[in-house]
Amino acid sequence: MYVAVKGGERAIAQSHVLLADARRGDAAVPELSIAQIRGQMRLAVARVMSEGALYDEDLAALAIKQAAGDLIEAIFLLRAYRTTLPRLADSEPIDTSRMRLSRRISAAFKDLPGGQILGPTYDYTQRLLDFSLMDESAEIGTADSGPSPNPVETTVAPRVTDLLDRQGLLESEACPAGDPPPPDLTREPLLFPVDRTARLQNLARGDEGFLLALGYSTQRGYSTTHPFAGEIRFGTVPVEVFVEELGFAVEIGEVELTECQLITGFEGGSEEAPRFTRGYGLSFGHSERKAMAMALVDRALRARELGEDTEQPANNEEFMLSHSDNVEASGFVQHLKLPHYVDFQTNLELLRRLREEWEANHGNTAAPAEPPAVPATMEAA
Amino acid sequence: MTNNTDRRGSLGLLARSPATLLAERMARVGELPSFTWLRKPETGMVMLRGRIGGDGARFNLGEATMTRCTLRLADGSVGVGTVRGRNARHAEMIALCDAMLQQPARAATIRMEVMNVLAQAEQERHARASADTAGSRVDFYTLVRGED
């Protein structure tokens, strides 16, 4: 129960002043610009866009600055902002096979058409602190394009899964008849059981840490999947929107996406031949860990559809989708900071009565006869 | 339909190009025509859709900001500007170019001073990025074992 409590206005105003000061830090140090955050914190920007469910690098950078680097707070800010904007259109489905690749690897196929392109990755770094970055003037040069044999070669390549698909060993993601528009969780409540398309929307905006931990649980044995990274790609794709005045779709710009296709063996059954199945991850910006965790969880959530055991947490659709959103989770956890004075007072009264009854039944040998010492100020609240 | 294909291509190029470069090129076109708004620039969102596995059922990935506007020149040519992001000026410049490209008197100048330059700049951006990226392509080799 909540009751209106007056009297905090002045304290709140001063708290805002302190917050602004704390965010700004030492005034002798130059202030961060949005362009700096966008350009030099690109992975933080990608996470805030993905989980904020709004692709806008400048707004994500602004949110990070305003939230003093608290990414979940920044995600909350972006989610709040998106509610102020009208929805103008739905895009044509983005075709990831048209991606201009910045990175593309497969852990399942060594020699894939288009090759393995490492791109910018921390995978092959030694995780030693680079003290040269302490000195801002010691800038490292741009990427060396020297050894490239053919500088104008294209960096577009077919999806690995499409190649395997043709051999019939991998389940195909057949487009359903009529290509129906997907459900939209920003407009419709999450009612179980849900379609895989709705699950993917939930996971796409879901918390990376949550998906990472639950995806990890499936690898450690709390599920039955053993996936291969069929393909992970990151790059730039065009966005097309149908424009009514024109009567056709036009490109309105580009976005960076990360896509992950996990491949998992499937034993088949009396009616189905053994084959590989897929888990799918797609996220904004360069966000491989997120896309991989999403694909792991997507596959785990298909257990019921594929007739596998479903008793583990990661197989439980309702559990997973109800707890994946960090804005909701953060709100409910942090609401504990709101005044619960009356609630607590009620509990306190109840406890005193129970204690009296207990003492009457057990004699007052062990427990003190006095009520628990509660400071007068707390009682007054 | 060739006209639509051309227009589609031009609108895509205008939207993909940096707004600063577009503004720079438009400044060289000379005096820009006056116009009336059919739809003033408005910023909202577009829901980006993907497909499961890249080619399966559609799903909603998340939204992106988007700005659009429509304008009409004195001779009745209508220009449409739609661009990802919140840059109203970018949308306006796209719509202006789109409208002027439909005017026989202006189309050639816009193609030469704006479209060709944007196309070449984009090609150069892509070539540079491809070259940098291609340098990180893995060349596997197998070590010969000493059995033979």
Side-chain angles (χ1 to χ4, degrees), chain A residues 33-116:
Chain A
S33 73
I34 299 304
Q36 283 174 330
I37 296 171
R38 183 181 161 162
Q40 298 173 48
M41 295 273 154
R42 66 186 185 92
L43 302 180
V45 168
R47 180 167 181 193
V48 170
M49 293 195 303
S50 263
E51 296 170 33
L54 184 66
Y55 196 109
D56 189 308
E57 299 100 322
D58 287 331
L59 293 180
L62 171 61
I64 291 167
K65 177 175 176 174
Q66 188 178 330
D70 178 344
L71 296 190
I72 294 184
E73 181 71 20
I75 288 160
F76 191 176
L77 289 170
L78 204 57
R79 287 271 190 97
Y81 180 78
R82 73 159 281 287
T83 65
T84 68
L85 294 176
R87 171 86 61 84
L88 303 180
D90 297 306
S91 84
E92 299 296 304
I94 288 170
D95 183 357
T96 52
S97 70
R98 286 178 68 193
M99 186 181 279
R100 280 204 323 282
L101 298 165
S102 298
R103 171 166 163 78
R104 186 264 200 136
I105 55 160
S106 171
F109 303 98
K110 181 164 66 73
D111 299 307
L112 67 171
Q116 310 251 5

Side-chain angles (χ1 to χ4, degrees), chain A residues 203 206-216 290 293-294 297 324:
Chain A
L203 300 180
D207 181 70
E208 179 174 318
F210 176 80
L211 298 182
L212 180 68
L214 273 293
Y216 178 45
K290 166 68 187 271
M294 177 177 171
V297 170
S324 63

Side-chain angles (χ1 to χ4, degrees), chain A residues 96 105-108 159-162 170 173 196 227-233 258-264 277-282 291-292 295, chain B residues 51-55:
Chain A
T96 52
I105 55 160
S106 171
R159 284 181 296 255
V160 169
T161 45
D162 294 353
L170 177 70
E173 301 287 7
R196 190 175 172 203
F228 295 93
E231 182 177 17
I232 294 163
R233 55 168 60 199
T258 304
E259 182 184 53
C260 173
Q261 308 252 14
L262 292 184
I263 299 174
T264 307
T277 57
R278 317 200 213 182
Y280 189 63
L282 188 63
M292 292 181 78
Chain B
R51 287 191 181 279
I52 300 178
D55 56 356

Side-chain angles (χ1 to χ4, degrees), chain A residues 53 55-56 82 86-89 91 94 116 118-119 145 153 173 179 183 201 245 249 251-252 254 261, chain B residues 8 16 39 44-47 49 51 53 55-56 58 60 63 65 70 84 86 126 132-133 136-138:
Chain A
Y55 196 109
D56 189 308
R82 73 159 281 287
R87 171 86 61 84
L88 303 180
S91 84
I94 288 170
Q116 310 251 5
L118 301 185
S145 52
E153 68 188 302
E173 301 287 7
D179 199 10
Q201 185 182 7
E245 289 103 318
E251 288 182 11
I252 64 163
E254 296 176 312
Q261 308 252 14
Chain B
R8 195 177 124 83
R16 293 191 308 269
R39 191 206 311 262
M45 297 181 294
V46 52
M47 175 55 91
R49 285 177 169 167
R51 287 191 181 279
D55 56 356
R58 290 187 281 176
N60 290 316
E63 286 153 318
T65 50
T70 312
R84 183 179 79 68
R86 292 168 299 118
H126 289 183
D132 289 345
T133 300
S136 71
R137 179 171 285 138
V138 181

Side-chain angles (χ1 to χ4, degrees), chain B:
Chain B
M1 286 314 280
T2 320
N3 275 347
N4 277 357
T5 314
D6 286 352
R7 193 171 181 192
R8 195 177 124 83
S10 300
L11 285 168
L13 176 60
L14 288 162
R16 293 191 308 269
S17 295
T20 45
L21 178 61
L22 178 54
E24 210 175 277
R25 298 312 302 177
M26 300 248 320
R28 304 170 67 106
V29 171
E31 199 180 332
L32 295 171
S34 59
F35 60 84
T36 50
W37 287 119
L38 297 182
R39 191 206 311 262
K40 283 189 177 175
E42 65 171 331
T43 294
M45 297 181 294
V46 52
M47 175 55 91
L48 303 182
R49 285 177 169 167
R51 287 191 181 279
I52 300 178
D55 56 356
R58 290 187 281 176
F59 71 95
N60 290 316
L61 176 63
E63 286 153 318
T65 50
M66 158 182 155
T67 303
R68 68 178 178 192
C69 66
T70 312
L71 51 79
R72 187 173 53 208
L73 305 186
D75 70 347
S77 304
V78 172
V80 177
T82 315
V83 67
R84 183 179 79 68
R86 292 168 299 118
N87 190 337
R89 177 80 187 121
H90 193 176
E92 180 186 325
M93 289 188 293
I94 294 172
L96 255 180
C97 280
D98 180 42
M100 288 192 285
L101 280 169
Q102 295 164 60
Q103 297 185 311
R106 283 201 174 92
T109 314
I110 297 295
R111 274 200 201 95
M112 194 168 67
E113 291 291 340
V114 182
M115 305 311 292
N116 290 352
V117 178
L118 295 186
Q120 199 188 336
E122 180 174 66
Q123 241 169 30
E124 281 164 15
R125 279 198 309 276
H126 289 183
R128 220 171 19 247
S130 293
D132 289 345
T133 300
S136 71
R137 179 171 285 138
V138 181
D139 291 319
F140 284 109
Y141 58 91
T142 312
L143 295 176
V144 178
R145 290 160 43 156
E147 290 149 10
D148 299 331

Side-chain angles (χ1 to χ4, degrees), chain A residues 325-361:
Chain A
D325 193 292
N326 58 25
V327 176
E328 286 174 14
S330 171
F332 201 51
V333 167
Q334 296 208 68
H335 104 283
L336 294 175
K337 293 186 285 191
L338 290 173
H340 284 68
Y341 306 133
V342 177
D343 265 359
F344 186 71
Q345 202 62 37
T346 312
N347 271 278
L348 199 59
E349 292 300 326
L350 179 65
L351 186 63
R352 280 185 183 141
R353 212 169 57 239
L354 291 171
R355 189 67 172 257
E356 278 165 19
E357 285 171 22
W358 188 86
E359 278 159 13
N361 292 338

